[in-house]
Every structure is written in structure tokens, then in C-alpha cells.
Amino acid sequence: MGESKKRKRCRNKKGKEEQQIIPSTSAKRTKLKEPSTFLEKMRARLSGGHFRMINEKLYTCTGKEALDYFQEEPSLFNMYHAGYKSQMSNWPEQPVNVIIKWLKKQSPAFVVADFGCGEALIAKSMKNKVYSLDLVSNDPNVIACDMANTPLVSSSVDVAVFCLSLMGTNYQSYLEESNRVLKPGGWLLIAEVKSRFDPNTGGADPQEFSNAISDLGFNSVKQEKPISKRKEIEWPVLKPCLYKRR
């Protein structure tokens, strides 16, 4: 009882007894787990590869092209967000949680537009009216649309949120759209990867980005200054946020 191996006695050619070890069923089960673990690792690598491919696509095309891309193959959207969740699990703090914490301190009457909502965590965490917008809708409460051309009424929301969602070569069109739907005095919340605003690694100059936001008609809550109007806003180029395989 309790032994992992059984012993069987048999005789050799000279008539002497010798012991033959027969693996127990528990030992066999242990060996059978190895291929399963290997397959799981392979699936994880394939999933990570698909995520990086889709991620690069979203950063290097327009919002309209991204919308068409996912409409042709909706399963890619689920594949992308599975990889996204895996990446976010390694972060010490989730930006969306910081935004939710801030929103909960504001008026419960605030109407929120969540641009690039993903799993619509803001809407699921708030009692406020939240318009959840993304390229694909797997939820009846999510509006599928191009972030540059939403069905929202002008001057209808109090807060516009971009949480890691300024993806696309025409990201400035998304911000212009948020400006259209925001009420006068509304809030624009942007959370982005730091490397995208690091000139030392090819990112945009954060001051240039801030100036462009101001020219759009916003004041920074950290740096109050007069809005300088220009005929044409000079938007900086934001580099893609790409991931490398470990």
C-alpha cells in the first residue's frame, strides 16, 4: 500500500529469482501529462504571436481599415483581446482601474463615452450612463463603430475616455470626434503607454502632444494656460506600441 511501483518476481535462465519493476498506473498518468503541458505552451506561443500580429496591424492602419478588418473576421477581435488581457496581467496597475476610481469621485449624473472600451469594464463598474464604443460588439451594450465616426450626438457627454486606445494612423480624428461629442467644459481622459511619448526611443514629444490637445480646445488640468488657436493643428506622430516575444 502507498508504494508507487510494484515488484514482480521471475526466474532467469539459471533458475535464480530476480525482480522486475513494473510502473504503477499513477506513474503512467504522470508521464501522460507531459505532452499536454507541451501543447499548452505551444498554444500560448501561437496565441501570443497572433496578438502581436493584430496589435501591429491596429497601430499601422486607419480606424476605418481596422473596422473593416474585424468585420471580415470577428474572431480576430476575441483573439486580440485574449492576448491583451495576458499582457495586462503583467502590469502592476491597470490604467482602466485608475480611470474608474476617478470617475466614481465625480457626479453620478456624468455621461461617459468610452472610446475603445474592450470588455466595457467602465460601464460594468459604474452606475453612470456609459456609451461603450469599439470596433466589434460582443455585448448588446457595446456600440460597434469607427472611433472617428461615432453615432453619438454632438455635445452629449461629460467625459470622453481613451484608455490605451489611441491606436491607428489617424488617431487625431478620434480626438476630434471626442471633442465633438463632449459638452462645453467636459473632460477628456487619456491613458497611454509611456514609451509612445518618449522622444529618446522614437516616441512623440509629450509637450507637442499636449499643445495639439490644447489647440483642439482643451486646457490641461495640471498646467493652466491660454488656448492658442491655429488654423491647422500640428499633431505629432505616435509610434506603435509593439510587443516582443519573450
Side-chain angles (χ1 to χ4, degrees):
M1 295 292 290
E3 292 182 350
S4 61
K5 296 180 180 180
K6 298 178 181 178
R7 296 182 181 277
K8 180 181 179 182
R9 293 185 180 276
C10 60
R11 295 182 179 275
N12 60 18
K13 293 181 179 179
K14 296 182 179 180
K16 295 181 178 180
E17 288 187 342
E18 61 180 16
Q19 291 183 336
Q20 182 180 1
I21 298 175
I22 300 176
S24 70
T25 55
S26 60
K28 290 180 181 179
R29 284 197 297 269
T30 302
K31 290 184 178 181
L32 288 174
K33 291 181 180 179
E34 294 177 0
S36 177
T37 303
F38 174 75
L39 289 174
E40 288 172 3
K41 290 181 179 179
M42 289 301 295
R43 289 192 187 101
R45 286 191 176 185
L46 287 172
S47 177
H50 289 149
F51 165 74
R52 287 187 292 274
M53 178 190 71
I54 300 169
N55 184 67
E56 183 172 355
K57 170 71 175 179
L58 295 178
Y59 274 109
T60 56
C61 70
T62 66
K64 179 61 170 59
E65 290 170 339
L67 181 64
D68 294 340
Y69 179 65
F70 282 132
Q71 284 185 340
E72 291 176 5
E73 191 55 66
S75 64
L76 294 176
F77 186 78
N78 297 331
M79 190 180 297
Y80 170 77
H81 276 283
Y84 175 84
K85 287 177 65 177
S86 177
Q87 292 290 334
M88 290 299 99
S89 66
N90 298 319
W91 287 31
E93 188 171 35
Q94 303 298 317
V96 68
N97 291 336
V98 176
I99 291 174
I100 290 171
K101 184 178 180 180
W102 182 89
L103 287 171
K104 286 185 175 181
K105 295 179 181 178
Q106 311 308 312
S107 169
F110 271 7
V111 178
V112 181
D114 186 5
F115 287 77
C117 65
E119 296 182 316
L121 292 178
I122 292 179
K124 293 174 182 177
S125 305
M126 306 288 299
K127 294 182 179 179
N128 301 56
K129 172 64 178 177
V130 179
Y131 292 106
S132 300
L133 311 165
D134 216 323
L135 297 169
V136 173
S137 175
N138 292 325
D139 183 319
N141 296 316
V142 174
I143 302 171
C145 62
D146 178 1
M147 298 303 106
N149 185 26
T150 72
L152 302 185
V153 177
S154 298
S155 303
S156 60
V157 304
D158 300 282
V159 184
V161 176
F162 289 89
C163 184
L164 305 177
S165 57
L166 284 181
M167 307 173 75
T169 55
N170 64 324
Y171 78 89
Q172 62 271 24
S173 299
Y174 310 161
L175 294 170
E176 291 167 358
E177 177 68 357
S178 73
N179 188 43
R180 180 187 71 80
V181 303
L182 275 169
K183 299 175 183 177
W187 293 85
L188 173 63
L189 307 183
I190 301 174
E192 263 302 335
V193 179
K194 185 178 180 180
S195 62
R196 301 190 76 194
F197 297 94
D198 185 356
N200 296 320
T201 58
D205 186 320
Q207 190 57 53
E208 288 184 10
F209 182 79
S210 179
N211 290 343
I213 294 292
S214 293
D215 291 343
L216 190 58
F218 294 93
N219 284 324
S220 170
V221 294
K222 294 182 180 179
Q223 183 180 336
E224 296 293 341
K225 63 179 180 180
I227 299 176
S228 175
K229 292 292 183 181
R230 301 178 187 175
K231 292 184 178 179
E232 185 176 346
I233 300 176
E234 298 179 2
W235 291 100
V237 176
L238 295 185
K239 74 171 186 176
C241 177
L242 305 180
Y243 296 86
K244 293 181 180 180
R245 191 179 73 181
R246 295 178 187 177

